[in-house]
Each structure stands twice: as structure tokens, then as C-alpha cells.
Amino acid sequence: MKHSISIFWRLKDNHYKIYVTKCGDCGRVAPLKRLKCPYCGSRNVEHIESRGFGELINYTVSYYRTEGSEQYLPRVVGLVKLDEGPVIIGEITDVDLNELSIGTRVEAVLRKYSSEDPNGLIYYGLKFIPVIKK
Amino acid sequence: MTSSRFRVGIVGWGAYIPVYRIKAKEIARQWGFDDRVTDSIWIEEKAVAGADEDTVTMGWYAARSALLRAGVNPGDIGAVFVGTESKPYAVKPSSTIIADALGISAKKLSTDLEFACRAGSEGIRISVSLVESGAVRYGLAIGSDTAQANPGDVLELTASSGAAAYLVGPADESVAVFESLVTYVTDTPDFWRRDGSRYPAHGEGFTGEPAYFHHIVSAVKMLMNESGLKPSDFDYAVFHQPNGKFPLQVGRMLGFPREKVLPGIVTPWIGNTYNASALLGLAKILENSKPGQRILVAPFGSGAGADAISVLVTDKVLERVGKAPTVEELIARKKYISYAEYAKFRNLIHRNLW
């Protein structure tokens, strides 16, 4: 996968951390950093860094091939319900396809997103693995 | 260069071992070694980093565990060092990527260090000096490697992947305080990798006696002479572990009984993690230690040099062990892979990329 160096760098904080937005009025928690609560529209919101733990609530397996991506295939893309409440999309790594099961506790870890070009930049960001400390 | 220090200690520590393992005997069979060679150096299996792992990602995990155990504000960390001989970039620091991903302030010293397998412990020594001088409140020293070995070389039986991290800070916040630190280095041609070369080479006759044994024995004797400590004063001794046999042998040479060396040995089950090797052994000991116990740790790096460090465990260790995965939990978590999968993960297969 080819990335734009400048876009990736500008979004670095969102690749290295998981943020959620907590509404000071309705109390609900939404994924990502938001200026307004998506549920009640309030601007009384707080950005919180997620601890990065959650539960796998569904997943799909992608065999989609792009040049140079073969080393990482197949990719498992999961829906993770964070302990803070919101559901986010994330890649699940270090898993065998026959072992994958909904309900697995997962934790966010820093991994390579892509590094195919030996002369290019290595793109790092968070993925999920089954929790190490049970 | 000696100093006695009771003002600085280990505030937090962390470990990381990839989930994948390959049996040493499978590698031996792949390349036509006598099966008994793995027993002769005591290596059962080694840890293999996955395709999306490298020195940065493993170092990040170990460092994050160190911060979780320490419970400090990342903004108070004034120095980050990564000791490695498998930098993902020849030019671009690994330490800045790890620091940014952990939320450590931009106001810091930050660099990658290279001294074969002991650059991580050099990072600890520098951090101790920085904390003691008051230049920084906390210094983070990481040892992380996806160790390279030429396929078919005997080194391939052991060269593995893993990371360890130590947050160095004030003694009154520490799980173990630094009592004495010495380093012994010389120019020795035991192991090297030329610029642009994919795999290291080793000077056959040099790796044992004139390199590993001479430097560790010299460093530990220097520490004993200058501190007045004896082997009987230590509860544990941890040495660099290129295989399972060498640390037991060097322990014997220095007068440490087997039962003080065995608890810190990790290499037979995860391989030689290079910069993390002795530091993972120390982490395992800390996780099982009792307040008041004294630990000797002696990392070694080719080229060559060894450190000898004496630490005294404090009562804070007990409350912090459970805050992150332990070395024993990381060793127990494993999935076996074939030589073909290992070759794919470690980029040993030549492909046209574009």
C-alpha cells in the first residue's frame, strides 16, 4: 500500500494512539477526536486516550493483493469494542485464521503498516493482538 | 570507570518476545547440521519476529510496559536510547519513533546506540549518569533486536528477536537501586557486520575465550575489586546469553554456583535476542526477586566489551510486577512456525518488489 508521507506524518498522532471523545453533557463516548458530540451535538467534549484494550466483536479476512503486500497477507480486519465504549476498525495480527474467534480480548500494539519499498519510508501504526497478559 | 550509586535506580522495566517460535533442530536439519549441535550449545527454540515487527515495534512494547510499571508521566522522560544492531533505518533514529508513539516529550535526548549486543546496557549507563547529574529526571534505555544471521551459519540456530526496556530514575522511586557499575572494552575482532552487508560474520577462534569470557570475567572482577563484593554477596548472576551454555560456563569461572545463574537464563527457549539478551534475564530475575536481594548483571557486546552492574532490589518491586506481561508469560505465549514461514517473516526470500 502506498501512503502519502505528508498526510501520514500529519496524522501521526492518530496512528500511534487511539483517542475517544467523551461528551460532558450526554455522557456518551464516541470514537476519534471530535469537536462535537455526534449523539447530542454538544461542544462540551473531552478527548481521552484509550488504554488500547477491547473485545473483538467481528472480523473479515482480506486477500486483496497489492504489489509488495504479499508478506502481510492475508490481513484480518476487525471491529474492536474498546473498553472505553466505542467500536473502531483495526487490523488484527499474530493470529491464525482457524483460531480467530469473536469475543477474543485484544490489545493495541505498534506494528508496521507497510514497508514494501526497501528505499522508502516505513509506516508504523497501531494494530491489535490477542491480549498477552490474561 | 567506576562509581557507587545509591541515588539512581530502575523505576520500571518491560519485556517483549514475539509469539512465533522455530525449533532449533528444524534449522539444524534445514542446513545439514548434526542434530547434536543444538544440545551442545543448549538451544531448544528461538523467537521469530512476525512480518510486521521490527526493532521499533518490539522496543515500543517493552518500553510501554516499563512506563506502565513505573507509572510516570511520559513528559518527565528526558532521554531515550535504543541499543540495537538491527536498525530498521540505516539513517533515521528508532528512538524518536518509539518516543513519539509513547507520547514522550520532544524536549529530550534521543539516539540509537550501536555496540553489538551491549548497546542497550550502554544506554542504561548513560541514563544513570544523566539522572545522577540532575540533567534529566528519567532516562529510558531500550535493547531491541531482530537479530540477523547468515542462513546456514551456526549463528542462525540462536539469532532471534526480542526487546527489553528500563526506565532509570531517582532511587526513592525505584524497584532496584544501582550499587556499582563498571565497563571493560577493547578492540577485539570476534564478530562484525560491514556497512551494507546483510548478515554478520564472526572470527571463529575469537568468539569464546578472547571475547565473551575475557571481557565478562574482566568486568565482573573489576566490579568485585572496586566494590569489595564477592560472588557469595549476590543472590543472582545474569550474563549475556549467546546460547544456554556460555552463561553457565562464565558463572563457573567467576565462582557463581549454578543455582544463582540458572534463574536468569532465557536463551534456550527464545534464542539470543542480542541487545535484549542479558536485559531479559535481568527482567525475569526482577519479576521473581524479593526486596533486599542483590543481582549481578553482565551484558556483553562483540567488538568487544562487557558491563558489570550490581543492583539491590527494593520493596517496590512487588507491587509493579503484575502491571505488565512478565518474561515467563511472554516465553509461555508461543506459536510454532516452519522454516519457510520463518524465512518469509525475516525477509530471507529474495523477491522482485516492483
Side-chain angles (χ1 to χ4, degrees), chain A residues 29 34-35 43 48 55 70 81 84-85 101 112 129:
Chain A
V29 184
R34 294 164 188 268
L35 295 175
R43 287 183 181 273
I48 299 169
E55 183 182 323
E70 300 85 355
K81 183 172 171 53
E84 290 83 3
S101 71
K112 289 189 284 187
I129 60 169

Side-chain angles (χ1 to χ4, degrees), chain A residues 12 99 107 122 124 133, chain B residues 54 61 89 100 329 335:
Chain A
K12 182 176 63 172
E99 277 178 2
E107 65 175 286
I122 303 168
Y124 294 98
K133 196 165 189 65
Chain B
D54 64 14
Y61 196 100
Y89 291 99
D100 264 26
E329 285 168 329
K335 290 173 193 284

Side-chain angles (χ1 to χ4, degrees), chain A residues 5-117:
Chain A
I5 292 176
S6 53
I7 292 174
F8 202 93
W9 180 75
R10 279 200 293 274
L11 296 174
K12 182 176 63 172
D13 206 29
N14 295 298
H15 295 303
Y16 292 166
K17 306 269 183 189
I18 299 169
Y19 288 101
V20 295
T21 299
K22 184 172 185 187
C23 179
D25 289 330
C26 75
R28 297 180 75 176
V29 184
L32 306 173
K33 284 181 179 173
R34 294 164 188 268
L35 295 175
K36 289 201 301 187
C37 171
Y39 303 107
C40 72
S42 168
R43 287 183 181 273
N44 177 21
V45 293
E46 182 191 1
H47 297 151
I48 299 169
E49 186 188 332
S50 164
R51 287 184 62 245
F53 287 84
E55 183 182 323
L56 182 65
I57 59 169
N58 213 334
Y59 65 89
T60 188
V61 180
S62 169
Y63 296 89
Y64 182 71
R65 306 179 91 75
T66 53
E67 238 175 344
S69 70
E70 300 85 355
Q71 202 178 10
Y72 299 106
L73 296 179
R75 289 182 190 267
V76 179
V77 182
L79 282 177
V80 174
K81 183 172 171 53
L82 297 170
D83 288 351
E84 290 83 3
V87 175
I88 63 166
I89 295 173
E91 185 172 338
I92 316 295
T93 187
D94 282 2
V95 287
D96 294 336
L97 297 186
N98 56 11
E99 277 178 2
L100 271 169
S101 71
I102 287 167
T104 300
R105 283 281 295 164
V106 292
E107 65 175 286
V109 291
L110 190 73
R111 291 295 171 97
K112 289 189 284 187
Y113 281 165
S114 64
S115 59
E116 295 91 22
D117 177 358

Side-chain angles (χ1 to χ4, degrees), chain B:
Chain B
M1 207 166 83
T2 311
S3 46
S4 292
R5 306 169 196 274
F6 293 94
R7 286 175 289 171
V8 183
I10 298 165
V11 179
W13 77 97
Y16 182 74
I17 299 163
V19 71
Y20 299 107
R21 299 283 186 283
I22 182 166
K23 294 272 188 193
K25 281 193 168 30
E26 176 160 355
I27 301 171
R29 276 194 294 274
Q30 182 78 29
W31 293 105
F33 285 104
D34 184 326
D35 243 15
R36 289 168 295 186
V37 73
T38 57
D39 302 330
S40 72
I41 57 170
W42 192 20
I43 177 74
E44 311 279 339
E45 53 201 47
K46 70 173 191 177
V48 180
D52 59 359
E53 295 188 283
D54 64 14
T55 291
V56 166
T57 67
M58 297 190 305
W60 173 88
Y61 196 100
R64 193 193 56 163
S65 293
L67 298 194
L68 283 174
R69 284 200 171 101
V72 308
N73 174 4
D76 291 336
I77 297 172
V80 179
F81 300 109
V82 175
T84 183
E85 54 179 281
S86 41
K87 276 166 63 71
Y89 291 99
V91 179
K92 189 179 187 304
S94 308
S95 54
T96 54
I97 306 170
I98 294 174
D100 264 26
L102 290 169
I104 293 172
S105 153
K107 186 189 171 192
K108 62 180 177 295
L109 293 173
S110 180
T111 194
D112 293 2
L113 304 169
E114 191 282 310
F115 195 130
C117 297
R118 65 163 286 276
S121 63
E122 184 97 22
I124 291 177
R125 288 221 56 183
I126 297 170
S127 298
V128 169
S129 298
L130 287 169
V131 172
E132 190 172 47
S133 72
V136 305
R137 181 162 181 82
Y138 302 106
L140 178 62
I142 301 165
S144 182
D145 263 310
T146 51
Q148 318 94 341
N150 197 16
D153 188 332
V154 68
L155 206 60
E156 198 191 9
L157 300 172
T158 50
S160 71
S161 301
Y166 287 84
L167 188 71
V168 175
D172 59 359
E173 299 174 29
S174 295
V175 299
V177 294
F178 291 104
E179 198 178 25
S180 192
L181 304 94
V182 299
T183 298
Y184 180 93
V185 296
T186 70
D187 170 19
T188 305
D190 57 322
F191 173 100
W192 59 90
R193 181 163 65 83
R194 291 283 297 269
D195 189 25
S197 172
R198 283 190 75 184
Y199 303 112
H202 42 99
E204 293 296 346
F206 277 97
T207 51
E209 282 305 328
Y212 180 88
F213 294 105
H214 172 70
H215 289 79
I216 290 183
V217 167
S218 300
V220 173
K221 282 189 172 167
M222 201 190 324
L223 181 133
M224 302 279 184
N225 286 338
E226 295 183 7
S227 66
L229 294 167
K230 307 178 295 294
S232 57
D233 294 322
F234 290 91
D235 297 282
Y236 301 103
V238 186
F239 302 103
H240 175 58
Q241 304 165 31
N243 51 51
K245 193 179 79 170
F246 274 25
L248 288 171
Q249 216 169 318
V250 79
R252 237 181 356 255
M253 291 165 76
L254 286 162
F256 288 96
R258 196 179 163 87
E259 61 270 19
K260 289 188 179 180
V261 181
L262 268 179
I265 291 185
V266 293
T267 285
W269 305 283
I270 60 168
N272 178 6
T273 52
Y274 284 26
N275 269 283
S277 173
L279 301 183
L280 282 173
L282 173 62
K284 180 167 175 264
I285 294 295
L286 278 176
E287 289 157 9
N288 291 287
S289 64
K290 296 183 186 70
Q293 290 190 318
R294 179 180 279 123
I295 305 166
L296 170 76
V297 57
F300 165 80
S302 292
D307 306 285
I309 301 171
S310 163
V311 299
L312 272 172
V313 179
T314 75
D315 53 4
K316 292 190 172 59
V317 76
L318 304 173
E319 71 204 37
R320 296 190 197 166
V321 172
K323 292 184 174 177
T326 63
V327 172
E328 282 170 357
E329 285 168 329
L330 288 159
I331 291 175
R333 180 189 79 118
K334 58 184 173 182
K335 290 173 193 284
Y336 287 106
I337 54 171
S338 64
Y339 192 91
E341 287 168 299
Y342 153 75
K344 176 185 156 186
F345 288 172
R346 290 296 84 226
N347 220 10
L348 306 180
I349 302 169
H350 288 282
R351 298 180 297 136
N352 286 340
L353 290 172
W354 302 100

